[in-house]
């Protein structure tokens, strides 16, 4: 599988970024890169086009949706237990950012970009080498389950503390997709936190965008208003996990 690495964020000294999701309307810069970026607030919908309610998510199920762009896949998971809160993370250059925690009644729901920071492995309609492995599951990438795993090169990431890289050749953690849940239990995606791979990804897979999305121009369009959420097993024909 041909993957490319990410243009690192650069910085002379570390800085902390604290997020107050959709209240932030500008980019938070770390020198020539940004650690948090707001996008149009979009509502997550189920396969039938109905609002997706947080309480209906199956625990530890992989759900996929595309955000912030039409071609950039993300994974949504209810971990079944509260995540850690206010976790300080670092990008490769030492720039710090803060994972505020999961959302939902128990703080157990998280979403991350499903683009591996190592060589950009990601789910496609044909197959997925990237997925969440339940706590009771087993993986060659880590000593226990309850992690996101890229089976291309066996990198593993822990979802309950901001998507930290805990094993494998990846050197940075996952990009968090910042979520909000309203009073009606509806789920919204509002931004992305952490060093992201979106631009390198868009440069790397032009043939793929033509196959699945009608070309790069359409694939790089920002998602507007809503995004469909489906189980990963219904999105990808073949799930590969080691």
């Amino acid at each position: 599988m041909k993957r490319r690495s990410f243009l690192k964020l650069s910085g002379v000294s570390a800085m902390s970024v604290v997020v107050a999701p959709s209240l932030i309307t500008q980019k938070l810069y770390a020198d020539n890169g940004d650690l948090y970026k707001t996008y149009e607030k979009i509502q997550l919908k189920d396969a039938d086009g109905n609002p997706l309610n947080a309480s209906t998510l199956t625990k530890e199920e992989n759900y996929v949706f595309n955000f912030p762009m039409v071609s950039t896949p993300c994974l949504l998971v209810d971990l079944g237990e509260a995540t850690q809160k206010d976790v300080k993370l670092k990008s490769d250059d030492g720039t710090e950012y803060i994972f505020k925690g999961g959302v939902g009644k128990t703080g157990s729901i998280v979403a991350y970009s499903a683009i591996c920071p190592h060589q950009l492995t990601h789910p496609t309609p044909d197959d997925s080498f990237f997925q969440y492995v339940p706590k009771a599951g087993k993986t060659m990438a880590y000593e226990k389950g309850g992690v996101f795993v890229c089976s291309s090169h066996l990198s593993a990431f822990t979802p309950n503390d901001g998507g930290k890289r805990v094993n494998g050749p990846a050197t940075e953690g996952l990009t968090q997709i910042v979520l909000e849940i309203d009073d009606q239990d509806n789920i919204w995606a509002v931004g992305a936190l952490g060093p992201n791979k979106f631009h390198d990804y868009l440069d790397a897979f032009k043939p793929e965008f033509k196959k699945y999305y009608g070309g790069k121009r359409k694939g790089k369009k920002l998602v507007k208003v809503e995004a469909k959420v489906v189980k990963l097993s219904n999105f990808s024909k073949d799930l590969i996990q080691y």
Side-chain angles (χ1 to χ4, degrees), residues 90-203:
K90 287 185 178 181
S91 62
D92 273 350
D93 70 350
T95 306
E96 296 179 348
Y97 58 103
I98 297 174
F99 169 69
K100 300 299 291 182
V103 298
K105 291 182 178 180
T106 61
S108 62
I109 298 173
V110 296
Y112 292 93
S113 169
I115 300 171
C116 179
H118 174 225
Q119 290 190 0
L120 309 182
T121 295
H122 58 279
T124 75
D126 286 328
D127 55 46
S128 178
F129 284 76
F130 189 95
Q131 58 193 284
Y132 171 77
V133 177
K135 290 184 283 292
K138 294 183 179 180
T139 170
M140 295 173 61
Y142 197 53
E143 59 188 14
K144 56 185 178 182
V147 293
F148 282 102
V149 169
C150 175
S151 290
S152 287
H153 303 97
L154 298 180
S155 289
F157 311 87
T158 44
N160 68 336
D161 58 2
K164 283 184 181 179
R165 173 265 178 200
V166 291
N167 197 38
T171 59
E172 290 185 301
L174 300 177
T175 302
Q176 181 199 358
I177 303 303
V178 180
L179 303 175
E180 293 181 348
I181 297 178
D182 64 24
D183 293 341
Q184 285 73 48
D185 201 35
N186 301 317
I187 308 174
W188 302 77
V190 301
L193 172 66
N196 70 62
K197 316 303 176 192
F198 299 142
H199 294 297
D200 274 15
Y201 169 85
L202 291 172
D203 289 339

Side-chain angles (χ1 to χ4, degrees):
M1 299 183 69
K2 297 181 180 180
R3 311 293 184 201
R4 296 182 184 176
S5 61
F6 168 59
L7 175 63
K8 298 178 182 178
L9 303 179
S10 65
V12 176
S13 61
M15 64 177 288
S16 295
V17 176
V18 182
V19 175
S22 62
L23 297 180
I24 298 176
T25 58
Q26 75 282 352
K27 296 180 182 179
L28 297 184
Y29 288 98
D31 290 338
N32 72 342
D34 52 6
L35 290 185
Y36 179 76
K37 184 176 179 181
T38 55
Y39 293 95
E40 180 174 322
K41 185 173 180 177
I42 63 103
Q43 186 171 19
L44 302 189
K45 299 287 189 73
D46 65 21
D48 296 320
N50 301 311
L52 181 67
N53 295 139
S55 59
T56 65
L57 297 177
T58 301
K59 302 294 188 294
E60 296 197 282
E61 178 73 63
N62 282 275
Y63 293 91
V64 63
F65 66 99
N66 284 14
F67 178 84
M69 300 166 194
V70 170
S71 63
T72 49
C74 307
L75 289 181
L76 171 73
V77 181
D78 185 339
L79 301 174
E81 59 186 22
T83 68
Q84 298 181 41
K85 294 182 179 180
D86 300 322
V87 180
K88 185 178 292 186
L89 303 166
K90 287 185 178 181
S91 62
D92 273 350
D93 70 350
T95 306
E96 296 179 348
Y97 58 103
I98 297 174
F99 169 69
K100 300 299 291 182
V103 298
K105 291 182 178 180
T106 61
S108 62
I109 298 173
V110 296
Y112 292 93
S113 169
I115 300 171
C116 179
H118 174 225
Q119 290 190 0
L120 309 182
T121 295
H122 58 279
T124 75
D126 286 328
D127 55 46
S128 178
F129 284 76
F130 189 95
Q131 58 193 284
Y132 171 77
V133 177
K135 290 184 283 292
K138 294 183 179 180
T139 170
M140 295 173 61
Y142 197 53
E143 59 188 14
K144 56 185 178 182
V147 293
F148 282 102
V149 169
C150 175
S151 290
S152 287
H153 303 97
L154 298 180
S155 289
F157 311 87
T158 44
N160 68 336
D161 58 2
K164 283 184 181 179
R165 173 265 178 200
V166 291
N167 197 38
T171 59
E172 290 185 301
L174 300 177
T175 302
Q176 181 199 358
I177 303 303
V178 180
L179 303 175
E180 293 181 348
I181 297 178
D182 64 24
D183 293 341
Q184 285 73 48
D185 201 35
N186 301 317
I187 308 174
W188 302 77
V190 301
L193 172 66
N196 70 62
K197 316 303 176 192
F198 299 142
H199 294 297
D200 274 15
Y201 169 85
L202 291 172
D203 289 339
F205 298 104
K206 293 179 182 178
E208 181 176 300
F209 298 144
K210 184 176 181 180
K211 178 179 180 180
Y212 299 127
Y213 304 106
K216 182 179 178 181
R217 180 174 296 182
K218 293 182 179 179
K220 69 185 294 186
K221 286 184 177 180
L222 293 175
V223 177
K224 303 289 185 179
V225 183
E226 63 184 52
K228 180 186 289 187
V229 180
V230 297
K231 291 183 178 180
L232 182 61
S233 57
N234 293 330
F235 176 80
S236 297
K237 295 178 182 177
D238 193 12
L239 303 183
I240 301 95
Q241 190 262 305
Y242 300 117

